[in-house]
Amino acid sequence: MVRNVFVCLIICMVFICCGTEKRIVSEVELENLNTIVKSDTIKIQANWANPQNASLIANTNLLPIGSNAGSINLIGTPNYFRIIGDSLSIELPYYGERQLSGSYNPNDIGISFNGKAKEFKHSFNAKRNTHDYYFEINNNIENLQINLNIYPNLKTNISVNSTHRTFISYRGVVVE
């Protein structure tokens, strides 16, 4: 009986000690983030792509070095996501499955857009200290819904839902 209580106590201690620690955001990080957002020009470089259908991609043997099917290394791959006032300029590589046919142009396989979004929402999440954006865009081939989260350490998460392709997300950083 004493042994069972001791084992349970050890297991509880392990779970308590291994819990995730909440990151404390400094005032300098928050001020820097707010300054960048207020400037109306945000430039983001994606470092990793996270496609939804990783099992299909794993069998292609075309992934860059340092990548696996669920996390594709984009370092060295030209890409950007820019917010300039109320306009967007996007050029992101796409790894995934196209569900409906698109362009016949072999150079137009990524996610590309230049112009104003049909819908543009921006909010500050005080609980997570993030600036959250929502965009709806149409690039004459497909409709895209994009969620962008910018964290105080200037890391970003971009989620893209498309009418013609499977879901993909990108992790990156704000480039100053």
Side-chain angles (χ1 to χ4, degrees), residues 45-50 63-67 71-80 92-93 95 155 170-173 175:
Q45 175 89 33
N47 295 328
W48 294 92
N50 307 103
L63 296 178
I65 296 172
S67 302
S71 191
I72 299 169
N73 187 346
L74 297 179
I75 295 173
T77 304
N79 69 77
Y80 56 84
L92 295 169
Y95 297 89
K155 293 191 177 178
Y170 301 89
R171 289 178 286 143
V173 293
V175 180

Side-chain angles (χ1 to χ4, degrees), residues 48-59:
W48 294 92
N50 307 103
Q52 178 183 20
N53 56 346
S55 61
L56 292 174
I57 294 169
N59 299 328

Side-chain angles (χ1 to χ4, degrees), residues 8-170:
C8 286
L9 187 62
I10 296 290
I11 290 172
C12 289
M13 295 275 292
V14 167
F15 281 121
I16 290 170
C17 292
C18 293
T20 58
E21 182 179 327
K22 185 175 182 182
R23 184 177 183 279
I24 298 172
V25 177
S26 71
E27 289 296 319
V28 174
E29 284 180 321
L30 213 50
E31 284 180 34
N32 188 26
L33 174 62
N34 290 332
T35 301
I36 290 170
V37 169
K38 286 179 186 174
S39 73
D40 276 349
T41 301
I42 301 171
K43 299 174 186 172
I44 298 168
Q45 175 89 33
N47 295 328
W48 294 92
N50 307 103
Q52 178 183 20
N53 56 346
S55 61
L56 292 174
I57 294 169
N59 299 328
T60 63
N61 294 326
L62 297 173
L63 296 178
I65 296 172
S67 302
N68 59 45
S71 191
I72 299 169
N73 187 346
L74 297 179
I75 295 173
T77 304
N79 69 77
Y80 56 84
F81 188 104
R82 296 182 189 131
I83 302 172
I84 304 162
D86 61 351
S87 297
L88 296 173
S89 181
I90 303 169
E91 192 65 49
L92 295 169
Y94 179 75
Y95 297 89
E97 181 181 359
R98 185 176 281 275
Q99 298 165 334
L100 295 173
S101 64
S103 170
Y104 288 107
N105 183 357
N107 297 324
D108 191 23
I109 57 174
I111 296 173
S112 300
F113 180 78
N114 285 303
K116 292 188 178 189
K118 288 193 308 186
E119 191 166 337
F120 183 110
K121 293 180 185 175
H122 170 242
S123 63
F124 178 73
N125 186 330
K127 186 175 182 180
R128 293 182 359 201
N129 290 319
T130 61
H131 282 272
D132 300 330
Y133 290 86
Y134 173 77
F135 309 100
E136 284 186 15
I137 60 176
N138 182 321
N139 64 3
N140 296 325
I141 297 171
E142 61 189 326
N143 292 318
L144 301 165
Q145 295 176 331
I146 301 173
N147 289 300
L148 166 65
N149 308 106
I150 305 175
Y151 300 93
N153 59 1
L154 301 183
K155 293 191 177 178
T156 62
N157 186 42
I158 303 168
S159 302
V160 180
N161 284 313
S162 168
T163 54
H164 289 53
R165 310 175 200 216
T166 56
F167 174 83
I168 189 167
S169 66
Y170 301 89

